[in-house]
Protein backbone atom coordinates (compact mmCIF):
# COMPACT_ATOMS: atom_id res chain seq x y z
CA UNK A 1 0.00 0.00 0.00
CA UNK A 2 1.37 3.41 -0.99
CA UNK A 3 1.46 6.40 1.34
CA UNK A 4 -1.09 8.31 -0.81
CA UNK A 5 -3.57 5.43 -0.58
CA UNK A 6 -3.50 5.25 3.28
CA UNK A 7 -6.35 6.74 5.26
CA UNK A 8 -5.73 9.71 7.53
CA UNK A 9 -5.64 7.64 10.75
CA UNK A 10 -2.98 5.28 9.44
CA UNK A 11 -0.92 8.20 8.11
CA UNK A 12 -1.14 9.93 11.50
CA UNK A 13 -0.09 6.76 13.38
CA UNK A 14 2.81 6.16 11.03
CA UNK A 15 4.09 9.76 11.20
CA UNK A 16 3.71 9.80 15.00
CA UNK A 17 5.71 6.57 15.29
CA UNK A 18 8.46 7.90 13.04
CA UNK A 19 8.56 11.17 15.03
CA UNK A 20 8.79 9.40 18.40
CA UNK A 21 11.53 7.07 17.13
CA UNK A 22 13.46 10.03 15.71
CA UNK A 23 13.24 11.98 18.96
CA UNK A 24 14.35 8.93 20.98
CA UNK A 25 17.28 8.36 18.63
CA UNK A 26 18.28 12.03 18.82
CA UNK A 27 18.08 12.00 22.66
CA UNK A 28 20.25 8.86 22.77
CA UNK A 29 22.87 10.42 20.50
CA UNK A 30 22.93 13.66 22.52
CA UNK A 31 23.21 11.83 25.87
CA UNK A 32 26.03 9.66 24.50
CA UNK A 33 28.08 12.73 23.64
CA UNK A 34 27.06 14.78 26.68
CA UNK A 35 27.68 12.74 29.80
CA UNK A 36 27.77 14.71 33.06
CA UNK A 37 31.17 15.55 34.54
CA UNK A 38 32.16 15.95 38.17
CA UNK A 39 33.69 19.24 39.29
CA UNK A 40 37.44 19.44 39.83
CA UNK A 41 37.94 18.60 43.55
CA UNK A 42 41.07 20.78 43.63
CA UNK A 43 38.84 23.81 43.09
CA UNK A 44 36.55 22.93 46.03
CA UNK A 45 37.14 23.37 49.75
CA UNK A 46 37.70 20.19 51.78
CA UNK A 47 34.14 19.91 53.12
CA UNK A 48 32.44 20.69 49.77
CA UNK A 49 34.41 18.08 47.84
CA UNK A 50 33.25 15.40 50.30
CA UNK A 51 29.68 16.73 50.55
CA UNK A 52 29.42 16.61 46.75
CA UNK A 53 29.52 12.80 46.98
CA UNK A 54 26.26 12.96 48.96
CA UNK A 55 24.49 14.89 46.19
CA UNK A 56 22.09 13.74 43.49
CA UNK A 57 24.48 15.19 40.92
CA UNK A 58 27.14 12.71 42.05
CA UNK A 59 24.60 9.86 41.99
CA UNK A 60 23.75 10.65 38.36
CA UNK A 61 27.37 10.53 37.16
CA UNK A 62 28.54 7.56 35.08
CA UNK A 63 30.51 5.04 37.17
CA UNK A 64 33.80 5.85 35.45
CA UNK A 65 33.39 9.54 36.33
CA UNK A 66 32.58 8.60 39.96
CA UNK A 67 35.75 6.48 40.17
CA UNK A 68 37.83 9.33 38.76
CA UNK A 69 36.34 11.80 41.27
CA UNK A 70 36.79 9.51 44.28
CA UNK A 71 40.41 8.79 43.35
CA UNK A 72 41.18 12.49 42.94
CA UNK A 73 39.60 13.34 46.32
CA UNK A 74 41.71 10.77 48.16
CA UNK A 75 41.50 10.37 51.94
CA UNK A 76 39.62 13.18 53.66
CA UNK A 77 38.56 11.88 57.05
CA UNK A 78 38.73 15.30 58.68
CA UNK A 79 36.32 16.78 56.15
CA UNK A 80 34.11 13.68 56.36
CA UNK A 81 33.73 14.26 60.12
CA UNK A 82 32.41 17.78 59.38
CA UNK A 83 29.40 16.38 57.50
CA UNK A 84 26.02 15.86 59.11
CA UNK A 85 25.01 12.27 59.84
CA UNK A 86 22.55 12.40 56.90
CA UNK A 87 25.32 13.54 54.55
CA UNK A 88 27.69 10.84 55.85
CA UNK A 89 25.08 8.15 55.20
CA UNK A 90 24.52 9.49 51.67
CA UNK A 91 28.28 9.57 50.97
CA UNK A 92 28.63 5.98 52.21
CA UNK A 93 25.66 4.84 50.14
CA UNK A 94 26.86 6.63 46.99
CA UNK A 95 30.51 5.59 47.21
CA UNK A 96 30.65 2.30 49.12
CA UNK A 97 30.63 -0.12 46.20
CA UNK A 98 32.95 2.01 44.10
CA UNK A 99 35.43 2.49 46.96
CA UNK A 100 35.50 -1.28 47.54
CA UNK A 101 36.29 -1.88 43.87
CA UNK A 102 39.07 0.73 43.95
CA UNK A 103 40.57 -0.68 47.16
CA UNK A 104 40.37 -4.29 45.96
CA UNK A 105 42.11 -3.32 42.72
CA UNK A 106 44.85 -1.53 44.69
CA UNK A 107 45.22 -4.50 47.05
CA UNK A 108 45.61 -6.92 44.14
CA UNK A 109 48.31 -4.66 42.76
CA UNK A 110 50.10 -4.51 46.15
CA UNK A 111 49.99 -8.25 46.86
CA UNK A 112 51.12 -9.08 43.32
CA UNK A 113 54.00 -6.64 43.70
CA UNK A 114 54.82 -7.97 47.20
CA UNK A 115 55.01 -11.64 46.17
CA UNK A 116 57.18 -10.75 43.17
CA UNK A 117 59.82 -9.23 45.51
CA UNK A 118 62.80 -11.02 46.99
CA UNK A 119 62.93 -11.64 50.77
CA UNK A 120 64.93 -8.49 51.55
CA UNK A 121 62.55 -6.26 49.56
CA UNK A 122 59.55 -7.93 51.21
CA UNK A 123 60.96 -7.23 54.69
CA UNK A 124 61.55 -3.56 53.78
CA UNK A 125 58.00 -3.31 52.43
CA UNK A 126 56.57 -4.92 55.59
CA UNK A 127 58.54 -2.45 57.73
CA UNK A 128 57.00 0.42 55.73
CA UNK A 129 53.51 -1.04 56.22
CA UNK A 130 54.10 -1.41 59.95
CA UNK A 131 55.42 2.15 60.22
CA UNK A 132 52.29 3.50 58.46
CA UNK A 133 50.02 1.45 60.73
CA UNK A 134 51.84 2.71 63.82
CA UNK A 135 51.42 6.29 62.61
CA UNK A 136 47.68 5.76 61.98
CA UNK A 137 47.27 4.03 65.37
CA UNK A 138 48.93 6.93 67.20
CA UNK A 139 46.75 9.46 65.36
CA UNK A 140 43.62 7.44 66.20
CA UNK A 141 44.63 7.22 69.88
CA UNK A 142 45.23 10.97 69.97
CA UNK A 143 41.75 11.61 68.51
CA UNK A 144 40.21 9.26 71.07
CA UNK A 145 42.01 11.03 73.88
CA UNK A 146 40.66 14.36 72.61
CA UNK A 147 37.11 13.06 72.24
CA UNK A 148 36.92 11.13 75.54
CA UNK A 149 33.90 9.36 74.10
CA UNK A 150 34.34 5.61 74.52
CA UNK A 151 30.82 4.71 73.41
CA UNK A 152 31.15 6.27 69.97
CA UNK A 153 34.60 4.71 69.57
CA UNK A 154 33.26 1.26 70.38
CA UNK A 155 30.39 1.73 67.96
CA UNK A 156 32.70 2.84 65.13
CA UNK A 157 35.06 -0.06 65.82
CA UNK A 158 32.17 -2.48 65.46
CA UNK A 159 31.14 -0.84 62.19
CA UNK A 160 34.73 -0.95 60.96
CA UNK A 161 35.03 -4.67 61.75
CA UNK A 162 31.71 -5.41 60.03
CA UNK A 163 32.83 -3.36 57.01
CA UNK A 164 36.17 -5.21 56.90
CA UNK A 165 34.42 -8.59 57.05
CA UNK A 166 32.05 -7.66 54.21
CA UNK A 167 34.93 -6.21 52.24
CA UNK A 168 37.02 -9.38 52.54
CA UNK A 169 34.06 -11.51 51.51
CA UNK A 170 33.75 -9.46 48.31
CA UNK A 171 37.37 -10.20 47.34
CA UNK A 172 38.46 -13.16 45.23
CA UNK A 173 39.93 -16.07 47.23
CA UNK A 174 43.48 -15.79 45.84
CA UNK A 175 43.85 -12.10 46.69
CA UNK A 176 42.24 -12.68 50.11
CA UNK A 177 44.70 -15.50 50.88
CA UNK A 178 47.69 -13.47 49.70
CA UNK A 179 46.53 -10.46 51.70
CA UNK A 180 46.08 -12.60 54.84
CA UNK A 181 49.59 -14.01 54.37
CA UNK A 182 51.04 -10.55 53.92
CA UNK A 183 49.30 -9.33 57.12
CA UNK A 184 50.52 -12.40 59.04
CA UNK A 185 54.08 -11.73 57.91
CA UNK A 186 53.75 -8.03 58.81
CA UNK A 187 52.72 -9.03 62.38
CA UNK A 188 55.67 -11.43 62.59
CA UNK A 189 58.01 -8.73 61.33
CA UNK A 190 56.67 -6.27 63.92
CA UNK A 191 57.26 -8.80 66.68
CA UNK A 192 60.84 -9.42 65.47
CA UNK A 193 61.63 -5.70 65.41
CA UNK A 194 60.42 -5.00 68.98
Amino acid sequence: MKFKEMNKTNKFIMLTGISVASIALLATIISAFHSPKAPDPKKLDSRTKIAYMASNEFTNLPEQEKVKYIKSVGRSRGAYRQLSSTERKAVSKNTGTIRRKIIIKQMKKHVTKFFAMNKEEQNKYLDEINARRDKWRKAREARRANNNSNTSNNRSRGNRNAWRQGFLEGMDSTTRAQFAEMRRRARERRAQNK
Side-chain angles (χ1 to χ4, degrees):
M1 181 187 292
K2 294 182 180 177
F3 187 74
K4 289 181 183 179
E5 296 173 2
M6 291 180 150
N7 67 26
K8 288 183 180 182
T9 306
N10 287 342
K11 285 180 184 178
F12 178 75
I13 291 170
M14 190 169 116
L15 290 175
T16 303
I18 291 171
S19 298
V20 169
S22 298
I23 291 169
L25 180 63
L26 183 62
T28 304
I29 291 169
I30 290 171
S31 68
F33 290 107
H34 179 68
S35 60
K37 298 273 185 207
D40 182 359
K42 294 173 186 162
K43 295 179 181 177
L44 303 174
D45 66 75
S46 60
R47 187 190 186 286
T48 305
K49 69 182 173 185
I50 302 301
Y52 174 74
M53 292 187 284
S55 71
N56 287 334
E57 294 162 17
F58 181 82
T59 306
N60 293 328
L61 291 174
E63 185 167 338
Q64 188 174 10
E65 188 68 17
K66 289 178 185 178
V67 168
K68 182 179 157 190
Y69 185 83
I70 290 170
K71 283 183 175 180
S72 63
V73 167
R75 289 179 162 252
S76 302
R77 288 187 178 164
Y80 182 78
R81 287 187 188 99
Q82 295 173 9
L83 301 178
S84 69
S85 63
T86 306
E87 288 174 315
R88 281 189 227 148
K89 286 177 186 173
V91 169
S92 295
K93 179 183 172 199
N94 293 345
T95 64
T97 304
I98 296 168
R99 283 189 187 275
R100 278 192 179 119
K101 288 178 183 177
I102 292 169
I103 293 169
I104 288 172
K105 189 175 180 180
Q106 290 172 340
M107 288 175 69
K108 283 183 179 186
K109 182 179 166 185
H110 286 296
V111 296
T112 302
K113 179 181 172 184
F114 176 78
F115 286 103
M117 295 175 181
N118 64 39
K119 184 78 168 169
E120 184 180 315
E121 291 169 330
Q122 286 180 345
N123 286 338
K124 182 180 177 188
Y125 188 74
L126 293 172
D127 291 341
E128 290 170 4
I129 289 172
N130 286 332
R132 271 196 310 267
R133 283 194 179 138
D134 289 341
K135 181 181 172 185
W136 293 337
R137 183 182 46 78
K138 287 176 185 173
R140 190 171 54 244
E141 287 171 358
R143 281 193 310 272
R144 283 183 184 160
N146 286 340
N147 290 341
N148 286 330
S149 163
N150 292 334
T151 54
S152 67
N153 288 333
N154 289 338
R155 189 170 57 239
S156 69
R157 174 165 287 215
N159 289 342
R160 186 174 62 227
N161 290 338
W163 181 89
R164 182 181 293 147
Q165 182 63 33
F167 173 77
L168 291 173
E169 289 172 0
M171 190 182 300
D172 67 273
S173 59
T174 303
T175 304
R176 187 170 50 242
Q178 289 176 324
F179 180 68
E181 175 63 15
M182 196 167 83
R183 287 189 72 196
R184 183 190 67 75
R185 290 177 58 186
R187 285 191 300 270
E188 282 180 2
R189 185 79 181 156
R190 173 179 276 133
Q192 289 172 359
N193 290 338
K194 282 189 176 181

